[in-house]
Amino acid sequence: MKLIKAAIAEDDFRIAGIHEKFLQKFSEIRVVGKALTGENTLQLLKDTNPDLLLLDVYLPDMLGSELLPVIRERFPRITIIMITAATDKEILEKALAYGVDNYLIKPVTQERFEEVIQSFIKKHALLSVNGSVNQDIVDRIFEKSKQEQSKKGTGYPKGIDEITLKKVKAVLETQQSGMSAEEVGNAIGASRITARRYLEYMSSVNELRTEVVYGIVGRPEKKYYPV
């Protein structure tokens, strides 16, 4: 399989650099460029014709979501993964409507980032076959969706246990002002990554609300609040 060309549209050059380093861990992927604005993004796509675009929502000149119809019209075959601090349901709905492959809310753990990219690489390889596809290929492409459907009938998803989940809920209920993943991890005696996994699960089932706040150095941090 030939190398997958990837482009990054992100207004924060530091975050763009982090995402580039994450992508460079995959031998199948080559980063062909980074763009800081919506206008630069369209020019980059025209110049490099990448297979994958990591797209932020809050670009200086326009919303990344406003780029979606333009990108779909001009570059219909590109795969888009949105990585953003935006938690507006309307933006997510628009992303789904324009066939965005995945939607990651900042801050994103390296573990979650790599999981999504691995899934994309697998799907890209399956769709790179010449000629027609068979049911086996189709089933493998939609394998993740089937696995997610099966989780609904078996209790909590993999990596979530009831005892730790109760601890996280109990800690959050004592802090109405909100807590970061690191603070929750310290409170329950677990790592920040573990705490974030449970917090993101609770967010996905609407058991808490989230908000992105900016510290003294301007680095975004997600806060979790009980509902």
Side-chain angles (χ1 to χ4, degrees):
M1 183 179 72
K2 66 178 183 180
L3 282 176
I4 297 168
K5 295 188 294 182
I8 300 169
E10 166 63 59
D11 71 316
D12 188 325
F13 71 92
R14 295 166 301 180
I15 295 177
I18 292 171
H19 291 166
E20 182 176 21
K21 288 180 180 178
F22 282 174
L23 287 175
Q24 288 172 342
K25 293 179 181 292
F26 297 92
S27 59
E28 302 93 337
I29 294 178
R30 177 170 65 90
V31 177
V32 294
K34 301 192 291 288
L36 298 176
T37 68
E39 183 179 354
N40 291 157
T41 298
L42 292 175
Q43 187 62 49
L44 176 62
L45 298 184
K46 180 181 178 181
D47 293 342
T48 62
N49 191 29
D51 307 291
L52 171 66
L53 172 65
L54 302 187
L55 177 63
D56 188 18
V57 169
Y58 298 121
L59 299 172
D61 54 345
M62 65 182 75
L63 292 176
S65 53
E66 294 173 349
L67 277 175
L68 292 175
V70 181
I71 293 173
R72 277 288 166 250
E73 180 181 356
R74 299 182 188 179
F75 314 96
R77 296 176 65 88
I78 192 170
T79 295
I80 302 171
I81 296 175
M82 299 192 80
I83 306 180
T84 177
T87 57
D88 307 58
K89 190 179 76 167
E90 292 77 10
I91 292 178
L92 175 60
E93 289 173 342
K94 190 169 186 178
L96 292 170
Y98 283 100
V100 168
D101 193 68
N102 219 311
Y103 193 101
L104 298 176
I105 298 177
K106 297 175 182 175
V108 183
T109 66
Q110 183 173 344
E111 177 185 23
R112 178 64 177 139
F113 185 98
E114 292 180 352
E115 176 186 332
V116 167
I117 298 302
Q118 285 283 14
S119 177
F120 159 71
I121 291 173
K122 176 182 176 182
K123 187 185 298 185
H124 183 82
L126 290 169
L127 290 173
S128 296
V129 297
N130 294 323
S132 59
V133 299
N134 56 36
Q135 190 61 52
D136 177 61
I137 291 176
V138 173
D139 288 343
R140 289 163 67 188
I141 288 173
F142 287 97
E143 179 182 2
K144 182 177 180 181
S145 297
K146 292 196 299 178
Q147 288 174 345
E148 289 175 348
Q149 288 284 338
S150 68
K151 287 176 184 176
K152 295 180 181 177
T154 57
Y156 300 116
K158 182 179 178 182
I160 302 294
D161 73 82
E162 187 174 5
I163 295 175
T164 305
L165 186 60
K166 286 182 177 179
K167 289 182 180 179
V168 173
K169 290 180 179 180
V171 167
L172 278 176
E173 288 172 359
T174 66
Q175 295 290 336
Q176 296 295 320
S177 59
M179 300 179 72
S180 66
E182 185 172 2
E183 289 169 336
V184 172
N186 291 336
I188 67 172
S191 70
R192 176 174 55 84
I193 293 175
T194 297
R196 180 175 288 141
R197 181 167 68 247
Y198 281 83
L199 292 165
E200 290 297 330
Y201 166 72
M202 291 175 65
S203 176
S204 71
V205 295
N206 299 316
E207 290 187 1
L208 53 75
R209 65 182 180 87
T210 63
E211 179 182 333
V212 175
V213 298
Y214 289 82
I216 296 174
V217 296
R219 189 174 184 82
E221 179 182 52
K222 186 180 287 189
K223 287 276 191 177
Y224 300 86
Y225 301 83
V227 294

